[in-house]
Amino acid sequence: MKEIRIVPFGAQHVAAVAELEQVCFADPWTEDGLREELDNACARFLTAVDETGAVAGYIGCHTVLDEGYIANVAVSPDFRRQGIGKKLVQALLAQSPDLSFVTLEVRVSNDPAIRLYTGCGFQPVGTRKKFYSHPTEDALLMTWFRKEAGAS
């Protein structure tokens, strides 16, 4: 197993992340769309890279005030089942002490992702009917809430 580091998303990662989007999603982001996120003050993107600098995965989050919305989490098929998705989610949450809560959608059939998010402290809070296309499917809405210091 290769050593994986979580680093800020940079221009050097755009092409590889765009390729990863093509592999992982029915409606992938384009290179141009990803490049625009580099200058988006409301975007928090992190990249998982191996010791050679190869992109193993990434996470993208948008923020408004103290709210976060995870747009995508993707791990290359060559790097799956190594805990990289969990590392990405945990790193994002750890690097975002200003966020009170973070929300995401996940296909209701994506059991591995639902287990990942549940393991990172996300809770199911609702369903978005026919949210996804290619194929049409409901989304499970999940939210992570920051625990206040001293709260029980």
Side-chain angles (χ1 to χ4, degrees), residues 20 44 48-49 56 60 66 75 93 95 101 109:
L20 185 56
R44 298 181 189 185
V49 297
D66 66 338
V75 176
L93 297 175
Q95 294 177 26
F101 65 92
S109 65

PDB file of all heavy atoms in Angstrom, residues 20 44 48-49 56 60 66 75 93 95 101 109:
ATOM      1  N   LEU A  20     -10.585  11.613 -13.088  1.00  0.00           N
ATOM      2  CA  LEU A  20     -11.233  10.857 -12.014  1.00  0.00           C
ATOM      3  C   LEU A  20     -12.744  11.084 -12.042  1.00  0.00           C
ATOM      4  O   LEU A  20     -13.524  10.153 -11.859  1.00  0.00           O
ATOM      5  CB  LEU A  20     -10.635  11.281 -10.671  1.00  0.00           C
ATOM      6  CG  LEU A  20     -11.094  10.540  -9.426  1.00  0.00           C
ATOM      7  CD1 LEU A  20     -10.882   9.043  -9.551  1.00  0.00           C
ATOM      8  CD2 LEU A  20     -10.350  11.075  -8.209  1.00  0.00           C
ATOM      9  N   ARG A  44     -13.565  24.705  -0.855  1.00  0.00           N
ATOM     10  CA  ARG A  44     -12.516  24.013  -0.092  1.00  0.00           C
ATOM     11  C   ARG A  44     -12.347  22.654  -0.732  1.00  0.00           C
ATOM     12  O   ARG A  44     -13.187  21.780  -0.550  1.00  0.00           O
ATOM     13  CB  ARG A  44     -12.899  23.867   1.372  1.00  0.00           C
ATOM     14  CG  ARG A  44     -13.079  25.194   2.058  1.00  0.00           C
ATOM     15  CD  ARG A  44     -13.425  25.053   3.507  1.00  0.00           C
ATOM     16  NE  ARG A  44     -13.788  26.377   4.016  1.00  0.00           N
ATOM     17  CZ  ARG A  44     -14.052  26.630   5.266  1.00  0.00           C
ATOM     18  NH1 ARG A  44     -13.989  25.670   6.170  1.00  0.00           N
ATOM     19  NH2 ARG A  44     -14.371  27.848   5.644  1.00  0.00           N
ATOM     20  N   ALA A  48      -5.993  13.812  -2.449  1.00  0.00           N
ATOM     21  CA  ALA A  48      -5.179  12.727  -1.900  1.00  0.00           C
ATOM     22  C   ALA A  48      -4.172  12.340  -2.969  1.00  0.00           C
ATOM     23  O   ALA A  48      -4.551  12.051  -4.105  1.00  0.00           O
ATOM     24  CB  ALA A  48      -6.058  11.537  -1.538  1.00  0.00           C
ATOM     25  N   VAL A  49      -2.885  12.360  -2.614  1.00  0.00           N
ATOM     26  CA  VAL A  49      -1.835  12.004  -3.567  1.00  0.00           C
ATOM     27  C   VAL A  49      -0.924  10.954  -2.955  1.00  0.00           C
ATOM     28  O   VAL A  49      -0.743  10.904  -1.734  1.00  0.00           O
ATOM     29  CB  VAL A  49      -1.008  13.244  -4.000  1.00  0.00           C
ATOM     30  CG1 VAL A  49      -1.880  14.254  -4.743  1.00  0.00           C
ATOM     31  CG2 VAL A  49      -0.333  13.909  -2.818  1.00  0.00           C
ATOM     32  N   ALA A  56      -4.951  10.181  -6.033  1.00  0.00           N
ATOM     33  CA  ALA A  56      -5.678   8.982  -5.613  1.00  0.00           C
ATOM     34  C   ALA A  56      -7.151   9.299  -5.371  1.00  0.00           C
ATOM     35  O   ALA A  56      -8.002   8.420  -5.446  1.00  0.00           O
ATOM     36  CB  ALA A  56      -5.053   8.410  -4.348  1.00  0.00           C
ATOM     37  N   GLY A  60     -14.480  17.897  -2.602  1.00  0.00           N
ATOM     38  CA  GLY A  60     -14.793  19.298  -2.872  1.00  0.00           C
ATOM     39  C   GLY A  60     -15.957  19.737  -2.014  1.00  0.00           C
ATOM     40  O   GLY A  60     -16.968  19.046  -1.921  1.00  0.00           O
ATOM     41  N   ASP A  66     -21.354  29.640   7.989  1.00  0.00           N
ATOM     42  CA  ASP A  66     -20.833  28.513   8.775  1.00  0.00           C
ATOM     43  C   ASP A  66     -21.364  27.167   8.278  1.00  0.00           C
ATOM     44  O   ASP A  66     -21.300  26.172   8.995  1.00  0.00           O
ATOM     45  CB  ASP A  66     -21.167  28.682  10.258  1.00  0.00           C
ATOM     46  CG  ASP A  66     -22.662  28.611  10.547  1.00  0.00           C
ATOM     47  OD1 ASP A  66     -23.465  28.853   9.620  1.00  0.00           O
ATOM     48  OD2 ASP A  66     -23.023  28.308  11.697  1.00  0.00           O
ATOM     49  N   VAL A  75     -12.622   8.602  -5.227  1.00  0.00           N
ATOM     50  CA  VAL A  75     -11.365   7.872  -5.055  1.00  0.00           C
ATOM     51  C   VAL A  75     -11.160   7.015  -6.299  1.00  0.00           C
ATOM     52  O   VAL A  75     -12.091   6.329  -6.751  1.00  0.00           O
ATOM     53  CB  VAL A  75     -11.385   6.993  -3.782  1.00  0.00           C
ATOM     54  CG1 VAL A  75     -10.102   6.174  -3.672  1.00  0.00           C
ATOM     55  CG2 VAL A  75     -11.574   7.856  -2.533  1.00  0.00           C
ATOM     56  N   LEU A  93     -13.153  18.044   7.476  1.00  0.00           N
ATOM     57  CA  LEU A  93     -13.829  18.445   8.713  1.00  0.00           C
ATOM     58  C   LEU A  93     -12.832  19.037   9.712  1.00  0.00           C
ATOM     59  O   LEU A  93     -13.115  20.042  10.359  1.00  0.00           O
ATOM     60  CB  LEU A  93     -14.573  17.254   9.324  1.00  0.00           C
ATOM     61  CG  LEU A  93     -15.705  16.679   8.468  1.00  0.00           C
ATOM     62  CD1 LEU A  93     -16.281  15.426   9.122  1.00  0.00           C
ATOM     63  CD2 LEU A  93     -16.786  17.701   8.177  1.00  0.00           C
ATOM     64  N   GLN A  95     -10.062  20.559   9.056  1.00  0.00           N
ATOM     65  CA  GLN A  95      -9.543  21.832   8.563  1.00  0.00           C
ATOM     66  C   GLN A  95     -10.618  22.904   8.434  1.00  0.00           C
ATOM     67  O   GLN A  95     -10.364  23.977   7.887  1.00  0.00           O
ATOM     68  CB  GLN A  95      -8.851  21.623   7.214  1.00  0.00           C
ATOM     69  CG  GLN A  95      -7.602  20.781   7.304  1.00  0.00           C
ATOM     70  CD  GLN A  95      -6.971  20.524   5.960  1.00  0.00           C
ATOM     71  OE1 GLN A  95      -7.132  21.298   5.016  1.00  0.00           O
ATOM     72  NE2 GLN A  95      -6.234  19.432   5.843  1.00  0.00           N
ATOM     73  N   PHE A 101     -22.035  22.902  10.474  1.00  0.00           N
ATOM     74  CA  PHE A 101     -22.515  21.641   9.923  1.00  0.00           C
ATOM     75  C   PHE A 101     -22.125  21.534   8.459  1.00  0.00           C
ATOM     76  O   PHE A 101     -21.834  22.539   7.810  1.00  0.00           O
ATOM     77  CB  PHE A 101     -24.028  21.464  10.117  1.00  0.00           C
ATOM     78  CG  PHE A 101     -24.886  22.451   9.375  1.00  0.00           C
ATOM     79  CD1 PHE A 101     -25.354  22.167   8.107  1.00  0.00           C
ATOM     80  CD2 PHE A 101     -25.249  23.650   9.959  1.00  0.00           C
ATOM     81  CE1 PHE A 101     -26.148  23.070   7.420  1.00  0.00           C
ATOM     82  CE2 PHE A 101     -26.056  24.559   9.294  1.00  0.00           C
ATOM     83  CZ  PHE A 101     -26.508  24.274   8.008  1.00  0.00           C
ATOM     84  N   SER A 109     -28.547   3.870  -3.202  1.00  0.00           N
ATOM     85  CA  SER A 109     -27.990   2.536  -3.461  1.00  0.00           C
ATOM     86  C   SER A 109     -26.494   2.438  -3.174  1.00  0.00           C
ATOM     87  O   SER A 109     -25.925   1.349  -3.238  1.00  0.00           O
ATOM     88  CB  SER A 109     -28.236   2.148  -4.916  1.00  0.00           C
ATOM     89  OG  SER A 109     -27.515   3.009  -5.785  1.00  0.00           O
TER      90      SER A 109
END
